[in-house]
Amino acid sequence: MSSSYELQSVELHKDVLRYVDIGDGPPVILVHGLLGSHKSWGEQLERLSHEYRVIAPDLFGHGDSDKPSGDYSLSSHSATVRDLMDHLDIDSAPMVGHSLGGGIIMQLTYLFPERVDRLALVSSGGLGREVSLLLKAATLPGSELVLPLLASDWFRTNTEGVLTQLGRWGVPVKPGPSMAETWRSFRSVADRSTRDAFLASTRAVVGPRGQTVSAKQHFDKFESIPSLLVWGGKDRMIPAKHADNIRREVPNSRVEIFPDAGHFPQLDEPDFFFRLLSEFLDANRTENNAPAEITPAVMPSQRP
């Protein structure tokens, strides 16, 4: 799908950050995950821009933004989002984070709670230890030498059994939007600067035994913030059962599992995702920081 917007840019601490800024309504900020970019949101950007001012950065080390050597921790990424908000004169906004982006906006909520109106987590990191073998393998010595080979089209099309093995590691192998976006993102590690940033970001939150950073100790900070969690029931990168951790301990939250979606429910079920997110954001217009009243929706698996 062709886009009708151009990326904007801002220099932050001598590095250039690229971002989407479209629409004229109240602001909402979308933060992508590992190896992603603003493109990871697909058609959600333009659809949301009909009612909202949509801000979607390419995080440092990702997409079209600069890829400096240095700090790729959750705190560093969250400070970048805050700095972008300052540049755009946005005091506070609802935050939507996918995968690593979920961990980033939870860290931002902990560090700068006054900047976050409400929280939407999509296939989020930071809610449990389990993670795909691919991400755990990226933390091991020598992975920087193996990744370019694994990501190559030649390897994918010419190595017998590679798709089966990658499926075991958590990479989608069945045709669909999640698979297409995963491979589009994964191929970017052929570029050394992107690969270095990916490894630094991954190693900041994942170890050989799984995720090393948990938001659980901060759950009490989220109790007053309306929260929506969206997950794909067939997510092989981060399991949907992690949503239970926040559902149990943060009563002011709603969890929706898309049974047939993978790691990118915003792409696998774009219409349903847009409806849920729009209703969640609309509640912010009428009653700021109040529990979101979302009309019961028909889940994808329940459709005629």
Side-chain angles (χ1 to χ4, degrees):
M1 183 185 69
S2 61
S3 63
S4 61
Y5 56 82
E6 294 182 0
L7 288 178
Q8 308 297 313
S9 63
V10 59
E11 185 175 299
L12 299 175
H13 313 294
K14 299 183 179 181
D15 295 307
V16 176
L17 186 82
R18 303 277 281 172
Y19 62 94
V20 171
D21 183 357
I22 52 175
D24 298 317
V28 58
I29 297 174
L30 279 59
V31 182
H32 64 77
L34 274 170
L35 288 179
S37 69
H38 68 280
K39 295 179 181 178
S40 301
W41 297 105
E43 65 187 64
Q44 305 300 331
L45 296 177
E46 294 193 61
R47 293 181 71 171
L48 286 168
S49 71
H50 295 153
E51 298 289 337
Y52 294 91
R53 180 186 181 187
V54 180
I55 313 297
D58 284 2
L59 297 169
F60 282 128
H62 298 74
D64 291 321
S65 290
D66 283 355
K67 300 165 180 66
S69 59
D71 186 2
Y72 283 97
S73 65
L74 291 181
S75 293
S76 179
H77 283 307
S78 63
T80 295
V81 176
R82 179 210 53 191
D83 290 345
L84 178 60
M85 294 174 72
D86 288 344
H87 169 70
L88 298 174
D89 293 322
I90 297 173
D91 292 330
S92 65
M95 301 282 172
V96 186
H98 173 255
S99 197
L100 175 72
I104 291 169
I105 66 172
M106 283 190 287
Q107 183 73 356
L108 190 148
T109 303
Y110 171 66
L111 294 174
F112 316 110
E114 72 281 359
R115 312 306 293 265
V116 183
D117 290 343
R118 55 184 52 223
L119 206 58
L121 305 172
V122 185
S123 306
S124 179
L127 298 175
R129 180 172 288 275
E130 297 91 343
V131 73
S132 74
L133 284 174
L134 175 68
L135 293 181
K136 288 189 283 189
T139 69
L140 299 175
S143 58
E144 61 272 15
L145 303 176
V146 177
L147 280 171
L149 176 63
L150 290 177
S152 68
D153 288 331
W154 179 91
F155 187 75
R156 183 159 62 104
T157 57
N158 292 283
T159 304
E160 183 177 359
V162 65
L163 291 179
T164 300
Q165 185 60 52
L166 288 173
R168 295 193 187 105
W169 290 352
V171 177
V173 296
K174 294 183 179 179
S178 275
M179 175 183 175
E181 177 60 18
T182 299
W183 275 111
R184 186 195 68 77
S185 301
F186 192 47
R187 282 198 299 269
S188 67
V189 300
D191 171 72
R192 181 168 183 172
S193 60
T194 300
R195 182 167 66 253
D196 290 346
F198 163 68
L199 290 172
S201 292
T202 303
R203 291 167 178 172
V205 293
V206 176
R209 295 186 178 182
Q211 295 190 69
T212 58
V213 178
S214 172
K216 187 173 181 179
Q217 66 267 35
H218 303 318
F219 280 173
D220 61 326
K221 306 289 186 182
F222 305 150
E223 289 182 358
S224 62
I225 300 177
S227 303
L228 172 67
L229 282 80
V230 180
W231 229 291
K234 295 182 178 179
D235 191 339
R236 304 190 70 174
M237 197 68 66
I238 304 175
K241 67 179 182 179
H242 287 190
D244 291 334
N245 293 334
I246 198 168
R247 174 161 42 189
R248 284 194 301 267
E249 300 192 42
V250 183
N252 194 22
S253 64
R254 173 174 176 170
V255 176
E256 289 287 352
I257 308 297
F258 294 14
D260 298 322
H263 190 56
F264 295 86
Q266 70 270 32
L267 303 180
D268 289 334
E269 291 283 354
D271 293 337
F272 190 62
F273 182 89
F274 175 73
R275 177 182 172 185
L276 278 177
L277 184 57
S278 294
E279 291 177 345
F280 179 69
L281 295 174
D282 284 346
N284 198 50
R285 292 181 171 187
T286 57
E287 193 175 353
N288 191 36
N289 286 341
E293 295 294 335
I294 302 179
T295 305
V298 177
M299 291 297 293
S301 62
Q302 297 173 327
R303 294 173 186 156

